[in-house]
Amino acid sequence: MTFRTIKECEDAINAILAIGQQPDPDWYNQLASLRAAAGIGGPMSPIYSHLKTKMDLNGNLWFSTDLQDCIEDTVQKLMNPTSKFSPKDPGLLLGKIQSGKTRAFVGIIGLMFDKNIDIAIVLTKGTKALAQQTKTRMEDEFSAFASRRVPGRPHVDVSDILNRRNGYSVRELNDKNIIICKKEKNNMAILNEIAHINGFDQKKILIVDDEADFASRNYKRSGGTQDLAAIATAIDNLVASLPDCYYLQVTATPYSLYLQPDGSLNLAGGGKAMPFKPRFTSLLPTYDGYIGGKQYFVDSKDSNSMYSHLFHNVREICRDAISRIDRRYINNVTTSPSLLELRQAVVGYFMATAIRRIQESNRQDYLSSCIVHVDIAKAKHQWEGQLIITLVEEWEKDIRNNNGVLPASLTTMFDDLFDDYSSSIIKGKTNGELPQTLAIPPKKDVQIEMASLFLSKDYRIEVINSDQDVPALLDKDGQLKLTHAVNIFVGGQILDRGITISNLLCFFYGRNPRALQQDTVLQHSRMYGNRSKADMAVTRFYTTFRLYSLIAEINELDEQLRQWLIKYSTTANFDPSMAVIFTDSQNLRPCSGGKIAMSDCIALRAGRRMVHAGFQTDSQTKIKNIITDIDNIITSLPNYMNQDKDGIFEVDVNVVIDLLKRVRSTYIYDRPIDGNEGLDWNVQEMIGAIQYSTTNTNGKMWMLHRINRNLSRIRQDGGFVDAPDDGRTDLAPARAKALDKPIIMFIKENGQKINGWRDAPFYWPVLVLQQNLSSAFYTSSQNAI
């Protein structure tokens, strides 16, 4: 069948979709050709063409060439689905945390308006702050189209659904409309009612589900049956009521979306849920100047990089003390050993602000920020805020009593931290991460500027923990407003998804559940985004070793997914979830159980090195025989005497698994003095990785055996040592050998007390996966539902 007009073709497609069938794929091709012939998306695209000409303050195009390609490719895929999918089946725009996702979907909305979409509904996370931020952003981006008085220019109206309770007039519906709706039960009810009353079923609709993994798809389970939660039901009802509808999911944390079932889902009572698994994924490119997990968890491992100074270890005892409401801490907040890292963070933040103000040509214009995110409970936030206020006020009093000069109680910390900042700046300049013109201010000038911040009370400590607090604190751009040189924000969940904070120089993070959720923790990472390199030289991330290690693992998981998509997304019939396998693990979950039926994962990629840190050994008396047995098993292996020049030989996988279980039995985590509570090694993760990576090796792998090592347990920065393998004599030959089979290194340490151990020899295994390995998310439990 051949169509003559766009409407004729669209009507035919919609008629077939309305009876639950799929139109001929050629119809979509004809529709695309008819639209192209009509100039839709080309020179006659006034909104998108205007957006493409916008520039930032530095004179760069608001939409880079890469971003334009992403926008146009996403719109093409949205509006021209393959025969397998309906236009209503969602597409996914996947970006990194704070990487410009809003900018991208602004472009998508503009281009789809030019392609005859009438209404764009933007669903935001269920907070007033993010809804207000999104509305402000939309009004600014489409300000050139806010007036009806410009001849030949379309009019775009932006409104919050709560301000549209009385619906739209016929004239208003002839305009282009952007509707902001917070994902909250009452707001969604108003949106569905207005859609019904105002005939949205006769309009072409684009739904942009911002933070689509949040609230949009939650399940409730009762009596063995499964149903959608209220907000998810409201979204499903809205989509079902709109015949001509396109659905775009937007997020940086897509794990629960990929784990949705294909097609519709049977619910309790015989109902069905709409498809929610993305039918395609568009990867949002990062912009120049983006700071993210690479800097915090990859570049930070390079001792020559300024990013090696980012992480500062917080002892568990300090995190617990901050979280514990105990009035005794108020009385000795400036001296309590348990609060040492909190004092270091606050002093360091004031100092970093002083350094940056001196470096800036107009220091009065430079305002900085700090986030303290330790707990969920509002009462804890008030307590933490009170602790910090008391600390700052006590220091201010000491400075006044010392004739405006930093007192002795601060100078020791100041000297240590100043050396740290100086080293960071030097490395940044040497390593090409900073401009050579960036100077290290004289120590005396920093002391004077820092004292001035206290004496002039140019600081603010703000507790933020409710919707009512945040909207009043937003500036005209929808970001948290900075009103002083020093701005410390104390809070919890409200300081996550979508909230943007400028000039963030300090992030003190201590959320400490036994099992972290990958999507939640990533969304807490407000330190990511468009950060200046000069700021990054003095930015510090304060958290516990356990949390830092887990967030590093989360970053690796996230990057693994991105690389998989880059590599395979162009493959025919690619299923974007084919590489995602989640089950149970001790410390890490991809998302809450209410979003999916499965959880918890680790990443397996070619060449990955897996090692555990933080353990302590049991006493020599208890483990001596186990270690002797391990010695005898290894040295009695059939190929032990056939080692190559690097000491590597082939071994049976089952032997390795047995040895790993024996090694695990020698580690302990129940002594408070060891500081490793909650760091228990789930040996099944390494065993599972071995089982996966030896699927096609006939049950064989490589082994390297080393003895007589004397490694310390604790690093100089207070974290746990995690590199028992020497990079030159152990890791290098291991990586060279691990081409088609993984290699396990069994490294025997002498475990001397002087190095923080218990004078008991022990084994420390390191696994390196082979180079020729198909990447995957692996799950460590056999008990997945």
Side-chain angles (χ1 to χ4, degrees), residues 121-127 131 160-165 179-197 200 205 207-211 214-217 228-242 247 276:
I121 298 171
V122 181
L123 305 177
T124 74
K125 179 196 170 187
T127 67
D160 188 306
I161 193 65
L162 291 180
N163 298 326
R164 288 292 188 173
R165 296 173 188 269
I179 302 173
I180 312 300
C181 181
K182 183 173 70 170
K183 285 185 274 191
E184 184 270 338
K185 184 171 64 174
N186 294 329
N187 290 49
M188 291 301 304
I190 294 170
L191 176 60
N192 272 288
E193 180 67 16
I194 289 175
H196 174 69
I197 293 174
F200 282 15
I205 309 288
I207 296 176
V208 178
D209 193 347
D210 195 13
E211 308 296 354
F214 183 91
S216 299
R217 184 59 35 142
L228 286 178
I231 296 172
T233 298
I235 293 175
D236 259 34
N237 291 340
L238 176 66
V239 175
S241 70
L242 303 173
Y247 196 137
F276 208 73

Side-chain angles (χ1 to χ4, degrees), residues 381-584:
H381 301 157
Q382 296 296 335
W383 161 250
E384 291 153 12
Q386 186 179 2
L387 262 183
I388 296 171
I389 290 171
T390 303
L391 178 61
V392 171
E393 289 179 344
E394 286 296 315
W395 280 336
E396 179 191 328
K397 187 189 305 179
D398 290 344
I399 294 170
R400 290 188 188 281
N401 293 337
N402 200 42
N403 299 316
V405 178
L406 297 185
S409 60
L410 286 176
T411 52
T412 300
M413 274 193 297
F414 178 95
D415 289 343
D416 290 341
L417 291 166
F418 185 81
D419 289 344
D420 180 56
Y421 289 132
S422 299
S423 177
S424 178
I425 294 171
I426 291 170
K427 288 179 181 179
K429 293 166 71 171
T430 303
N431 210 29
E433 296 162 331
L434 292 174
Q436 295 300 312
T437 54
L438 188 70
I440 301 173
K443 181 183 290 189
K444 187 66 175 178
D445 291 356
V446 178
Q447 290 176 329
I448 293 171
E449 178 69 18
M450 185 172 162
S452 173
L453 294 174
F454 282 99
L455 295 176
S456 63
K457 291 185 178 294
D458 202 358
Y459 60 79
R460 160 199 185 200
I461 295 103
E462 190 83 45
V463 175
I464 301 177
N465 56 21
S466 72
D467 278 354
Q468 288 69 38
D469 291 332
V470 177
L473 299 175
L474 298 179
D475 62 18
K476 63 181 180 61
D477 297 320
Q479 300 189 29
L480 275 183
K481 192 185 305 178
L482 304 185
T483 58
H484 293 66
V486 168
N487 299 270
I488 301 177
F489 298 104
V490 182
Q493 296 286 81
I494 200 70
L495 293 172
D496 62 9
R497 292 176 185 260
I499 292 295
T500 305
I501 308 173
S502 298
N503 300 344
L504 184 67
L505 300 183
C506 178
F507 185 34
F508 194 104
Y509 185 69
R511 285 284 298 278
N512 201 31
R514 288 196 62 83
L516 295 182
Q517 290 175 190
Q518 184 174 345
D519 53 358
T520 301
V521 173
L522 267 180
Q523 293 291 353
H524 290 166
S525 299
R526 295 298 100 191
M527 68 278 197
Y528 293 172
N530 189 14
R531 307 292 182 192
S532 80
K533 296 294 181 64
D535 276 358
M536 292 308 300
V538 293
T539 296
R540 296 297 179 259
F541 178 32
Y542 287 84
T543 192
T544 65
F545 178 81
R546 171 178 178 264
L547 286 173
Y548 183 80
S549 300
L550 286 171
I551 300 171
E553 174 75 6
I554 288 171
N555 177 71
E556 186 166 6
L557 291 169
D558 198 58
E559 184 59 24
Q560 160 64 26
L561 173 60
R562 190 176 183 88
Q563 292 305 318
W564 178 275
L565 290 168
I566 289 172
K567 184 175 181 179
Y568 294 108
S569 59
T570 57
T571 304
N573 302 316
F574 174 66
D575 177 352
S577 68
M578 64 187 294
V580 186
I581 309 168
F582 291 105
T583 56
D584 262 1

Side-chain angles (χ1 to χ4, degrees), residues 11 40 43 135 226 273 280 406 443 502 512-513 521 555 658 673:
D11 288 344
I40 298 173
K135 182 174 182 291
Q226 176 172 264
F280 69 84
L406 297 185
K443 181 183 290 189
S502 298
N512 201 31
V521 173
N555 177 71
D658 174 63
I673 193 175

